[in-house]
Amino acid sequence: MSVRVTQNMLNNNMLRNLHKSMGNMDNLQQQLSSGKKISKPSDDPVVAARGMFYRSSLMENDQYKRNVDEAQSWMDMTDSTMDEVGNVIKRIKELLVYSGDGAVSAQDLKTMGSEIQELKNHLGTLANQQVNGKYIFSGTDTNKAPYDPTANNGKGDFVSTNSSPINLEVSQGIFVTSNVNAQNIFNYPDNNNNMFKVIDNILNELNSGRTATQFQIQIDQQYNQLLAQRSALGASVNRVELIADRLDTQEVSISDLMSKNEDADMAKVMTNLKEQESVHNAALGAGARIIQPTLLDFLR
């Protein structure tokens, strides 16, 4: 049984198709103006879901990069500080060798003691080195100064016993230690025989006008230990630099995937828009023929 097609049916179908055509043009124009494939999740739930995943990945990657930057700043400051500590110890070694010269007078030895005292004070300043207001040689007690100039009866000593590492997450499940164990530097081999106590023993001898060459072995041990710790730090620095490079590459890859997922192909959109305009104009022409002529058309 055939269905009778009425004028209202033709008119309604024409309007519906025109609205659909205009909707398609509006969607293409939205893509052209925004540069994105979709303007709301309902336009394409799959694209929207992937976009959320890529954005979340970028945010995580940015946080990992910030952690890497913080670790690098700590390591760079630690390395430069340890280098300066090494220079101080080398100067003390030179003075110890010079103190063994038989031609050196007791007054000269006391003068050497004055210089070594200043070098010790500088070591205390280095031990209290900070980054962004945090002590880098205090373990996790970053708000407490590890060197106390009033300790050991006013002679000054390294009083921190915190050897806990400060770990930063630089990738999913991957942590790096941004600090060094200062106990292996300033409190080596123990607090009773550490760097500052050895220097105090040297000062006692020099201030009494006696040579202090007998402490050369202990100073050499302190210097060798410092070099070992600095070498370990260098290995960590190299690893962090590799991680930083990988995070930069990963950021580019994620951004590229997000662009391919969300960004509209402008040339294709403009072509489709031009094609849709032609279709819309043809629909308007066809609609004009479908509408029945009225009595007014015959009165012309």
Side-chain angles (χ1 to χ4, degrees):
M1 179 179 177
S2 61
V3 179
R4 180 174 177 271
V5 178
T6 66
Q7 185 62 40
N8 284 336
M9 292 174 62
L10 291 175
N11 292 342
N12 291 335
N13 287 337
M14 181 196 68
L15 291 174
R16 183 172 62 253
N17 291 330
L18 286 176
H19 288 159
K20 183 178 180 181
S21 176
M22 292 177 67
N24 291 336
M25 283 197 301
D26 179 66
N27 183 45
L28 291 170
Q29 196 170 24
Q30 181 70 25
Q31 292 183 31
L32 194 61
S33 60
S34 66
K36 300 296 182 181
K37 292 179 181 178
I38 63 174
S39 58
K40 53 185 180 296
S42 60
D43 291 341
D44 193 329
V46 175
V47 171
R50 288 178 178 173
M52 292 175 62
F53 171 76
Y54 292 140
R55 279 181 170 75
S56 177
S57 298
L58 274 179
M59 291 176 62
E60 290 180 0
N61 197 77
D62 287 342
Q63 182 60 57
Y64 292 145
K65 290 181 66 176
R66 286 193 291 270
N67 290 349
V68 166
D69 290 341
E70 182 176 354
Q72 285 180 321
S73 65
W74 274 67
M75 290 179 175
D76 290 343
M77 179 59 71
T78 301
D79 183 66
S80 62
T81 302
M82 292 173 70
D83 179 61
E84 197 167 348
V85 170
N87 292 333
V88 171
I89 295 179
K90 284 192 292 185
R91 177 55 182 165
I92 293 176
K93 289 172 62 177
E94 293 174 359
L95 292 173
L96 288 181
V97 173
Y98 186 42
S99 72
D101 189 339
V104 175
S105 65
Q107 184 59 42
D108 291 335
L109 293 175
K110 292 180 180 180
T111 302
M112 292 181 198
S114 298
E115 181 178 352
I116 291 179
Q117 178 64 57
E118 294 302 320
L119 292 173
K120 180 192 174 185
N121 294 338
H122 185 56
L123 281 177
T125 302
L126 295 175
N128 284 340
Q129 181 65 55
Q130 300 180 34
V131 173
N132 297 326
K134 298 180 179 180
Y135 294 99
I136 63 177
F137 294 118
S138 292
T140 53
D141 293 332
T142 55
N143 295 324
K144 297 180 180 179
Y147 178 82
D148 184 0
T150 64
N152 193 21
N153 297 321
K155 296 179 180 180
D157 197 9
F158 194 83
V159 296
S160 174
T161 58
N162 191 314
S163 59
S164 300
I166 298 176
N167 295 322
L168 295 173
E169 188 173 11
V170 294
S171 189
Q172 189 171 8
I174 298 177
F175 295 84
V176 297
T177 301
S178 60
N179 64 332
V180 297
N181 186 355
Q183 305 301 314
N184 295 331
I185 301 175
F186 297 104
N187 251 352
Y188 174 81
D190 53 58
N191 185 258
N192 293 325
N193 300 281
N194 66 13
M195 183 183 299
F196 297 100
K197 295 290 178 54
V198 172
I199 295 176
D200 286 339
N201 294 333
I202 293 172
L203 289 173
N204 289 335
E205 295 299 316
L206 293 178
N207 290 334
S208 300
R210 296 188 297 267
T211 181
T213 55
Q214 63 271 28
F215 297 104
Q216 284 181 322
I217 295 178
Q218 289 178 280
I219 287 295
D220 285 337
Q221 289 174 344
Q222 295 289 335
Y223 186 71
N224 293 334
Q225 178 67 11
L226 177 68
L227 291 180
Q229 295 301 312
R230 194 177 179 192
S231 298
L233 176 64
S236 298
V237 170
N238 291 335
R239 183 192 178 195
V240 171
E241 289 177 350
L242 292 174
I243 293 174
D245 292 339
R246 181 175 59 81
L247 290 175
D248 289 337
T249 303
Q250 190 167 312
E251 181 181 16
V252 173
S253 299
I254 296 174
S255 298
D256 183 58
L257 289 173
M258 187 170 68
S259 176
K260 291 179 179 179
N261 178 66
E262 296 181 356
D263 293 347
D265 185 341
M266 303 308 288
K268 183 178 179 181
V269 171
M270 286 188 285
T271 301
N272 291 340
L273 181 58
K274 192 64 178 178
E275 179 183 352
Q276 189 61 43
E277 287 177 354
S278 299
V279 171
H280 187 69
N281 289 333
L284 289 174
R289 296 184 184 92
I290 290 175
I291 298 175
Q292 280 187 344
T294 65
L295 179 61
L296 294 176
D297 293 314
F298 293 100
L299 294 177
R300 292 175 180 175

